């Protein structure tokens, strides 16, 4: 028994923020951002929170799958930017979409979150524990961004993507996940700091901090490695893959991964130019675009691959 994607959905906020808009806020320019990252614009939440975006994406995924929310047994949501410490965003989504029969929880794996959520849900479905699951990647990094730091604030956008998966005979073929906590300091975002009446400190929030070059080196080494691993371990050849749906962190990272895999760039779809890096949401948003544009046919083999804070990485090979 495995798990098949039966529907996808996504949501991005309406507000478009261009590179020119950012140049009015920090010392940057369109040329720098485009040549280093491939990003032209991103969507930034005005009133939408993480759970709102996640619920919208989930409704669309359920509509695409043609099932009612009451059929869901499981909701796993990946985020680094939940609206509350608790309840979890997954529980908020459950309430919004009225998935009263589902158990719901969040996982934290930063930009690898969707692959981790899919792999976790797949394990439940493959074991026969549950039959139908909703997996969501949703992030509102604009609230964790230091808008005075030009090195990071130009990179991110807000959004959510979702997929409904169901136990079946075909679907997920193999998955790999990895983490390296010892190198976690190259990409961090502090949560509420310690502070209480006894130590006299006031709790504060931190912002995203990144050693961009170390993240770049990590990504261009680890992503091809884990893609090769997921293919080798399942006896699948590179040529059988229609698309490598990679985390959208940076155009140059996608390009470098394609080069290292010796694959044409046409097999590495991208939408980073329009949405920037939406963290755990990039892969499901891109997957939803491919699905809605009719670019995926039943039987196609694709690889989803993510990498990010933790450090974490993961790849899922699936038959559409
Ligand atoms: N506009 C103009 N100049 C800038 C900007 C900006 N937005 N940001 C930095 N600079 C300047 C720096 O101050 C520096 O100036 P200096 O030479 O006078 O000191 C110069 O540009 C080069 O800065 P670097 O940080 O060395 O730039 P680099 O070439 O490494 O590019 C980048 C930065 C694009 C972030 C790159 O390191 C990268 O692609 N890293 C991958 C990390 C990534 O994509 N992270 C996304 C989030 S994490 C994730 O999703 C897993």
């Amino acid at each position: 028994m495995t798990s098949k994607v039966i529907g996808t959905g996504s949501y991005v906020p309406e507000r478009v923020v261009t590179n020119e808009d950012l140049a009015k806020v920090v010392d940057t320019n369109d040329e720098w951002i485009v040549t280093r990252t491939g990003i032209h614009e991103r969507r930034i939440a005005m009133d939408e929170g993480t759970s709102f975006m996640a619920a919208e994406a989930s409704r669309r995924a359920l509509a695409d799958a043609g099932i009612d929310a009451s059929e869901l047994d499981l909701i796993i949501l990946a985020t680094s930017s939940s609206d509350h410490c608790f309840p979890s965003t997954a529980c908020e989504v459950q309430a919004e979409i009225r998935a009263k029969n589902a158990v719901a929880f969040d996982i934290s794996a930063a930009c690898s979150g969707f692959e981790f959520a899919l792999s976790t849900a797949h394990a439940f479905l493959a074991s026969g524990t549950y039959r139908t699951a909703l997996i969501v990647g949703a992030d509102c990094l604009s609230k964790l961004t230091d808008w005075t730091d030009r090195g990071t604030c130009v990179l991110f956008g807000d959004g959510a993507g979702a997929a409904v998966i169901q136990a079946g005979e075909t679907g997920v073929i193999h998955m790999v996940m990895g983490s390296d906590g010892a190198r976690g300091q190259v990409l961090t975002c502090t949560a509420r700091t310690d502070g209480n009446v006894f130590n006299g400190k006031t709790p504060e929030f931190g912002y995203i901090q990144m050693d961009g070059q170390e993240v770049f080196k990590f990504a261009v080494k680890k992503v091809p490695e884990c893609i090769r691993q997921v293919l080798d371990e399942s006896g699948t050849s590179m040529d059988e893959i229609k698309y490598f749906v990679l985390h959208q962190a940076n155009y140059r990272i996608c390009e470098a991964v394609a080069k290292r895999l010796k694959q044409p760039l046409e097999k590495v779809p991208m939408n980073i130019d329009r949405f920037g890096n939406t963290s755990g949401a990039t892969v499901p948003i891109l997957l939803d675009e491919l699905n809605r544009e009719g670019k995926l046919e039943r039987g196609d083999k694709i690889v989803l691959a993510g990498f990010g804070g933790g450090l974490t990485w993961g790849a899922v090979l699936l038959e559409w």
Side-chain angles (χ1 to χ4, degrees):
M1 190 64 77
T2 184
S3 24
K4 191 177 197 68
V5 176
I6 59 164
T8 62
S10 61
Y11 176 87
V12 290
E14 276 179 26
R15 175 66 182 267
V16 176
V17 173
T18 64
N19 292 344
E20 284 78 16
D21 294 330
L22 280 174
K24 293 177 194 146
V25 181
V26 285
D27 181 13
T28 190
N29 57 75
D30 181 59
E31 197 258 333
W32 193 97
I33 300 172
V34 171
T35 52
R36 305 278 173 132
T37 70
I39 301 168
H40 290 263
E41 58 187 44
R42 71 288 291 143
R43 303 298 183 93
I44 298 293
M46 295 294 107
D47 300 314
E48 305 99 326
T50 306
S51 60
F52 176 89
M53 296 191 293
E56 281 302 311
S58 301
R59 281 192 193 96
R60 295 173 189 186
L62 287 167
D64 187 42
I67 68 160
D68 190 80
S70 61
E71 293 178 54
L72 294 173
D73 307 308
L74 173 68
I75 299 173
I76 304 183
L77 188 143
T79 188
S80 310
S81 47
S82 49
D83 296 329
H84 298 98
C85 293
F86 46 85
S88 67
T89 309
C91 284
E92 292 179 317
V93 168
Q94 178 195 18
E96 272 297 316
I97 65 172
R98 300 200 171 89
K100 56 182 190 303
N101 298 316
V103 59
F105 58 90
D106 286 0
I107 61 162
S108 167
C111 304
S112 316
F114 188 75
E115 291 68 37
F116 277 41
L118 173 57
S119 300
T120 308
H122 167 65
F124 280 111
L125 267 51
S127 69
T129 310
Y130 298 120
R131 182 163 184 270
T132 308
L134 171 71
I135 44 171
V136 191
D139 269 306
C140 188
L141 290 192
S142 60
K143 63 187 172 190
L144 304 177
T145 298
D146 176 356
W147 289 99
T148 66
D149 174 14
R150 66 177 181 173
T152 54
C153 76
V154 301
L155 303 174
F156 302 107
D158 301 327
V164 179
I165 62 172
Q166 200 159 55
E169 294 307 315
T170 57
V172 172
I173 297 168
H174 192 43
M175 61 201 187
V176 297
M177 295 188 280
S179 352
D180 183 1
R183 286 201 289 161
Q185 290 308 306
V186 302
L187 183 55
T188 61
C189 182
T190 314
R192 210 176 269 240
T193 57
D194 62 331
N196 55 58
V197 70
F198 302 105
N199 68 12
K201 293 193 230 165
T202 307
E204 290 173 2
F205 282 106
Y207 291 112
I208 296 168
Q209 291 187 314
M210 179 183 75
D211 181 336
Q213 287 174 14
E214 283 306 311
V215 174
F216 194 96
K217 280 189 257 173
F218 153 70
V220 298
K221 183 167 182 290
K222 207 40 112 176
V223 178
E225 251 175 44
C226 74
I227 291 176
R228 282 187 199 286
Q229 187 187 346
V230 84
L231 294 180
D232 288 349
E233 289 178 1
S234 60
T236 308
S237 79
M238 207 64 81
D239 294 340
E240 289 176 64
I241 304 304
K242 184 166 187 185
Y243 292 122
F244 297 90
V245 184
L246 307 183
H247 168 49
Q248 302 288 291
N250 188 306
Y251 177 86
R252 293 185 305 147
I253 292 177
C254 291
E255 206 177 35
V257 170
K259 200 170 166 195
R260 288 189 180 207
L261 294 176
K262 299 191 176 61
Q263 292 295 296
L265 208 49
E266 297 74 61
K267 286 172 74 170
V268 183
M270 285 183 240
N271 61 10
I272 187 159
D273 55 327
R274 288 173 287 130
F275 301 128
N277 178 349
T278 56
S279 190
T282 68
V283 168
I285 291 175
L286 185 54
L287 188 64
D288 184 44
E289 282 197 340
L290 293 170
N291 184 24
R292 278 165 204 276
E293 287 166 8
K295 292 185 174 159
L296 296 170
E297 285 168 31
R298 289 294 165 200
D300 285 345
K301 286 182 183 164
I302 60 174
V303 173
L304 314 182
F307 56 94
L311 297 172
T312 55
W313 58 91
V316 182
L317 165 65
L318 56 92
E319 183 181 315
W320 190 251

